[in-house]
Amino acid sequence: MPNEEEALFGAVDALLEQVSQAPLPDPAERKRLREAAGLSQSQIAKALDARREAVGNWEAGRTEPRPPKRAAYARLLEGLAARFPAPAGNAPAAEVPAAFTAAPPEPTPVPSGRATAVAQNLSAPPAAPPARPPGAKPTNTSQRPGAKKAGANRVPADRGAVDPRFENGPLAVIDVADGQVSAYCVGGLVLDVPAKSIPALVEWTLKEAKLGAPRLSGPGKDGDPLLVLTEAALERYGLPTTLTEEERLTGRIPEGHKVIKQLARAEWQLTKRGFGPWARIYRPARGSERACVQLCIPSWQALDTRHWGEAGQLPPAELARVLGVYAARVMTPRGSTAVTGLELMTALHPPTRASEPDADGKRRSEHNPGSLGEDAIDPMNWPPCEVPDGHPILKDLPRFHVRGPAEKLFEEAYDWARPMTDAECTLRHLVGIDVNMAFAAGANGLNVGLGEATHVKAPAFDPKLPGSWLVDLSHVDLSKVKVGKEWVELDGSLLPSPFTPKGERPEGPAWCATPTVAYAQELGYEVRPIEAWVRYDNGRYLDGWYNRLRDAYLATMADLGVDADLSPADFLAAMDGYKSRDPELAIVTSAIKATVKGGLGKLRERPRGEGWRPGEPWRALSRPTWRPDIRAAVISRTRINLHRKIVKHAGFTGQYPVAILSDCVVYAADGPSPLDFLPYREGKPLPGGFKLGINPGLVKHEGTQSVLWGEEVRDRFNAPELNLARYIKDGTVTDIDNGE
């Protein structure tokens, strides 16, 4: 009888699901209803237990909700339509420029998990659109063929309260057409610029333009406005459109340039890097009031083509859109993507905060817990093993001394390959998979040191204590390892060592970061450190940084049609040609990924010319964010995360990688797709193994070549261990000096 009842209930549920398949309003109407109610995509996603990106896709018409969410979403839209009917004659509502803020406020929590709770809690009509600021041109006009109308090609963004100080967005592209200087802001807004000189332009920006961005953290500082100067604007304000070879090498125009003299006469100052591609013009702060404007000059190579593609060649409106999306989702650019990545860490964890009021009611600056502080670590207090060659603490080493593993912490990404086996040579394809934002995933949840290190002799290893450990891991045998609670036998000769970047088995004691040593324990082997430099003051400093960059990446990829909830096959299809769907947004994804890698690289910035000699300090050492130990820990964890998946995959399938380069892994397979060798069962991946998807840590298809291609390339260059992962994307083999 119970089985009969269950069958009947199942049939009824099926009928109810059919009823829920009633047509939904068209995508544009779905968006109109949400905006009319003043709701954000995040609020609706929370009520429906869905992702914000999924709601955005429903409103863009890229995907449709599936049961049971479809019925709940339909009920919500029905309730909203009753409260906010369409305008008479079905005329579309007036377009309002999108508000881009560097830190969108958190949406109001929805008390109930049901979709009806959203409609029932609507209490006020939407706020009227803001009035056009003084000096603004109508947003549906443009002065030049390349300028867009308001809202054209705009990226959907959650609406939130706009800080009136920055109502025109974080930045503007300054251009000149028909003798008129214009500021192209985000959302399609175009402002008239009355300024006749660079000093006047700075004054106008700070007093009238209403540009900038709210702080990302309570104790932090508001984002300074960014002005992007086109070549026409450079000519108008007396600046060169390109730099000479000497100026390019020094990174600035001469101190005697007339524009710099104009700034000096107006009592404006430049930072130590002078007037270059990313110039900062400021006056000393008065209390909490800042007076600073950042300039970005694309024709001076401010936007590196490796990370920003052809952004520097875009018309003003399109360039404002690209930089505006990046500013809204990451932060207003402060320089290169590497500089911005580092600045984002500080913006999310400011070094100081205001203290509680004292007896006189005054507040003072104090250390902000969880930050790196405002004072750099004394160069002479660094552990010798953690610093790069040429550091002042190593100045007494012999001139040509080469430090070995027992003297130097060397945590780097994989660069490993091996000859293919006979069995692999009988397969047809080499398939490369790439880990999405691998280093960001490595930073997520990682405990890192916040202060100086303490030297300990013969310590007991603590996997929760960040630091550098001198330990011998040569006894770890990859032919028999512990995976979970079970011992698994593998072909260790086909696996790279997890403890060295080149995949070679350690030959004795070596300095390793905490994640590397912890993995040796995880594999079932005892570790006995000889000595260590550990940091008792520690925390998850990079969590907020990871979360912001992850959200920025996922939101932008969702706008490009690659949602986080896609099935493996749909994901591979969505990734095929995704950049061509919106080349401007594709630039943003590239910049976000470069921000991750560049920001981590900046933690161990090396000398950059300036007459530096080995043994002398360099400029970066004076930063609290010069932290090679944090960089090493992130890279160590990233490499270990990858090796863990490789071991899990090998133990289950008997398949081993042919080559690994950083976050790209190449396998031999019968078919050209990752689905031809990844062990999916009923759409579910191997737990702990590789999983297709767009989230950081999941993998995408990097490229496929034939096994014959791989063997022919290696034979041609007489390099049996040539790293094929370097060329798997398009098969083009360029210079391979030294066998690479």
Side-chain angles (χ1 to χ4, degrees):
M1 183 65 68
N3 291 337
E4 184 178 354
E5 283 187 356
E6 291 176 5
L8 291 172
F9 287 164
V12 171
D13 289 341
L15 287 175
L16 290 175
E17 286 194 9
Q18 290 181 18
V19 174
S20 74
Q21 299 299 314
L24 295 171
D26 63 73
E29 178 64 4
R30 302 170 198 174
K31 180 180 179 182
R32 185 196 71 78
L33 290 172
R34 175 180 62 78
E35 292 184 342
L39 295 173
S40 71
Q41 292 178 350
S42 297
Q43 286 175 284
I44 292 179
K46 185 174 182 180
L48 298 178
D49 193 23
R51 293 186 59 83
R52 187 203 66 78
E53 293 82 358
V55 177
N57 284 338
W58 300 343
E59 293 183 353
R62 285 189 287 265
T63 61
E64 292 290 319
R66 300 176 181 176
K69 293 182 175 62
R70 182 185 176 94
Y73 189 49
R75 187 173 183 180
L76 168 65
L77 295 176
E78 183 180 357
L80 294 178
R83 291 171 179 261
F84 305 97
N90 294 324
E95 188 90 20
V96 178
F100 283 83
T101 60
E106 290 293 324
T108 305
V110 180
S112 171
R114 294 174 299 170
T116 52
V118 180
Q120 292 170 356
N121 282 287
L122 300 176
S123 59
R132 187 170 0 121
K137 298 178 181 179
T139 56
N140 61 349
T141 62
S142 61
Q143 292 187 327
R144 59 196 305 279
K148 286 185 177 292
K149 296 182 180 180
N153 217 10
R154 193 174 64 212
V155 179
D158 287 349
R159 296 175 61 190
V162 178
D163 191 321
R165 298 173 300 161
F166 313 127
E167 66 180 34
N168 293 332
L171 56 89
V173 180
I174 308 299
D175 191 37
V176 181
D178 300 325
Q180 172 62 47
V181 184
S182 303
Y184 291 79
C185 306
V186 297
L189 181 67
V190 182
L191 304 177
D192 287 324
V193 181
K196 305 297 184 183
S197 66
I198 290 293
L201 179 63
V202 173
E203 295 278 2
W204 172 83
T205 302
L206 294 172
K207 293 180 179 179
E208 300 179 40
K210 294 188 177 181
L211 296 173
R215 65 194 66 183
L216 298 182
S217 175
K221 301 174 183 177
D222 293 330
D224 298 321
L226 173 66
L227 299 181
V228 185
L229 304 183
T230 66
E231 292 189 31
L234 293 173
E235 291 179 351
R236 178 63 172 265
Y237 291 121
L239 289 164
T241 57
T242 58
L243 298 179
T244 65
E245 183 66 20
E246 181 179 353
E247 291 168 345
R248 188 184 63 79
L249 292 174
T250 60
R252 64 182 73 191
I253 59 177
E255 295 295 324
H257 194 279
K258 64 178 181 180
V259 170
I260 297 180
K261 292 180 179 179
Q262 291 173 0
L263 290 168
R265 285 195 296 269
E267 298 182 346
W268 289 103
Q269 300 180 30
L270 293 164
T271 58
K272 291 182 179 179
R273 59 183 174 186
F275 203 121
W278 289 95
R280 295 188 67 79
I281 303 172
Y282 73 99
R283 285 181 181 141
R286 296 179 180 178
S288 61
E289 293 185 7
R290 288 169 56 82
C292 183
V293 172
Q294 174 101 42
L295 300 184
C296 168
I297 306 177
S299 65
W300 294 5
Q301 283 74 55
L303 300 175
D304 191 328
T305 55
R306 293 172 299 175
H307 310 140
W308 290 102
E310 300 303 317
Q313 306 300 319
L314 292 174
E318 282 86 341
L319 180 54
R321 179 195 181 219
V322 168
L323 295 177
V325 174
Y326 180 89
R329 294 175 175 174
V330 180
M331 71 179 297
T332 307
R334 296 288 302 273
S336 67
T337 51
V339 169
T340 304
L342 196 67
E343 290 286 342
L344 180 61
M345 295 180 196
T346 303
L348 293 169
H349 281 288
T352 60
R353 68 178 184 182
S355 67
E356 293 296 325
D358 59 17
D360 298 327
K362 295 182 179 180
R363 297 178 184 268
R364 292 176 172 78
S365 177
E366 67 177 14
H367 173 67
N368 184 26
S371 75
L372 297 181
E374 60 180 342
D375 295 323
I377 295 176
D378 185 336
M380 304 312 290
N381 286 342
W382 272 99
C385 63
E386 292 182 347
V387 299
D389 295 336
H391 190 276
I393 204 170
L394 305 176
K395 63 181 180 181
D396 294 331
L397 287 179
R399 183 177 178 184
F400 297 106
H401 178 74
V402 177
R403 293 187 293 163
E407 299 174 278
K408 179 181 180 180
L409 178 67
F410 191 66
E411 295 284 8
E412 298 295 341
Y414 266 130
D415 185 355
W416 170 87
R418 63 169 175 81
M420 283 185 276
T421 65
D422 292 342
E424 289 168 339
C425 288
T426 65
L427 302 176
R428 297 179 59 190
H429 301 281
L430 293 172
V431 184
I433 53 176
D434 181 79
V435 182
N436 292 312
M437 296 184 72
F439 295 99
N444 181 30
L446 179 63
N447 204 33
V448 300
L450 300 177
E452 295 189 1
T454 300
H455 190 225
V456 184
K457 287 283 189 180
F461 177 68
D462 182 352
K464 297 181 180 180
L465 190 60
S468 301
W469 310 77
L470 182 62
V471 59
D472 188 350
L473 300 178
S474 60
H475 62 290
V476 177
D477 183 4
L478 294 180
S479 63
K480 187 177 182 181
V481 297
K482 204 170 186 180
V483 179
K485 296 181 179 180
E486 299 181 358
W487 286 91
V488 177
E489 293 187 1
L490 303 170
D491 189 340
S493 65
L494 301 180
L495 285 172
S497 168
F499 310 127
T500 62
K502 290 292 185 181
E504 301 165 343
R505 187 168 181 168
E507 296 180 352
W511 285 100
C512 302
T514 297
T516 300
V517 186
Y519 187 55
Q521 272 192 338
E522 181 184 325
L523 293 176
Y525 290 86
E526 184 180 13
V527 294
R528 294 182 178 179
I530 300 168
E531 60 177 304
W533 291 88
V534 296
R535 289 173 168 82
Y536 296 108
D537 179 14
N538 53 68
R540 293 167 59 162
Y541 174 73
L542 294 173
D543 274 11
W545 184 80
Y546 161 78
N547 289 333
R548 188 161 181 85
L549 289 165
R550 175 205 60 197
D551 292 348
Y553 181 67
L554 292 181
T556 310
M557 290 301 294
D559 290 335
L560 285 165
V562 186
D563 193 85
D565 298 325
L566 296 173
S567 67
D570 289 343
F571 168 71
L572 292 174
M575 286 295 293
D576 186 17
Y578 76 93
K579 293 183 178 180
S580 62
R581 293 174 202 145
D582 191 330
E584 293 173 14
L585 281 188
I587 292 173
V588 178
T589 63
S590 175
I592 292 171
K593 291 187 286 187
T595 303
V596 173
K597 289 187 177 181
L600 294 172
K602 275 281 184 180
L603 292 171
R604 197 193 68 166
E605 184 175 353
R606 303 296 300 275
R608 305 179 65 183
E610 303 172 353
W612 175 82
R613 294 181 180 179
E616 296 178 350
W618 57 92
R619 185 184 300 177
L621 299 186
S622 62
R623 292 196 317 248
T625 50
W626 192 81
R627 294 298 302 270
D629 58 305
I630 296 179
R631 172 188 177 274
V634 173
I635 294 176
S636 165
R637 191 165 187 246
T638 302
R639 193 182 66 245
I640 294 307
N641 286 346
L642 183 59
H643 195 276
R644 186 182 291 114
K645 290 179 171 63
I646 290 170
V647 166
K648 189 78 173 182
H649 184 87
F652 187 80
T653 68
Q655 299 168 335
Y656 295 84
V658 171
I660 310 173
L661 182 67
S662 187
D663 46 12
C664 176
V665 188
V666 177
Y667 282 90
D670 275 325
S673 167
L675 290 175
D676 290 316
F677 70 92
L678 293 181
Y680 273 85
R681 291 187 174 180
E682 298 180 355
K684 296 182 179 180
L686 173 68
F690 295 109
K691 178 182 178 181
L692 289 166
I694 199 59
N695 278 291
L698 305 189
V699 299
K700 62 180 182 293
H701 184 204
E702 178 69 3
T704 296
Q705 305 297 329
S706 68
V707 168
L708 289 177
W709 165 85
E711 289 297 274
E712 189 275 330
V713 168
R714 285 177 164 177
D715 288 344
R716 188 197 324 163
F717 294 101
N718 192 27
E721 296 185 3
L722 178 70
N723 196 332
L724 299 175
R726 192 183 305 275
Y727 316 107
I728 195 71
K729 189 167 188 175
D730 60 10
T732 302
V733 181
T734 54
D735 184 18
I736 60 167
D737 288 341
N738 299 321
E740 292 297 336

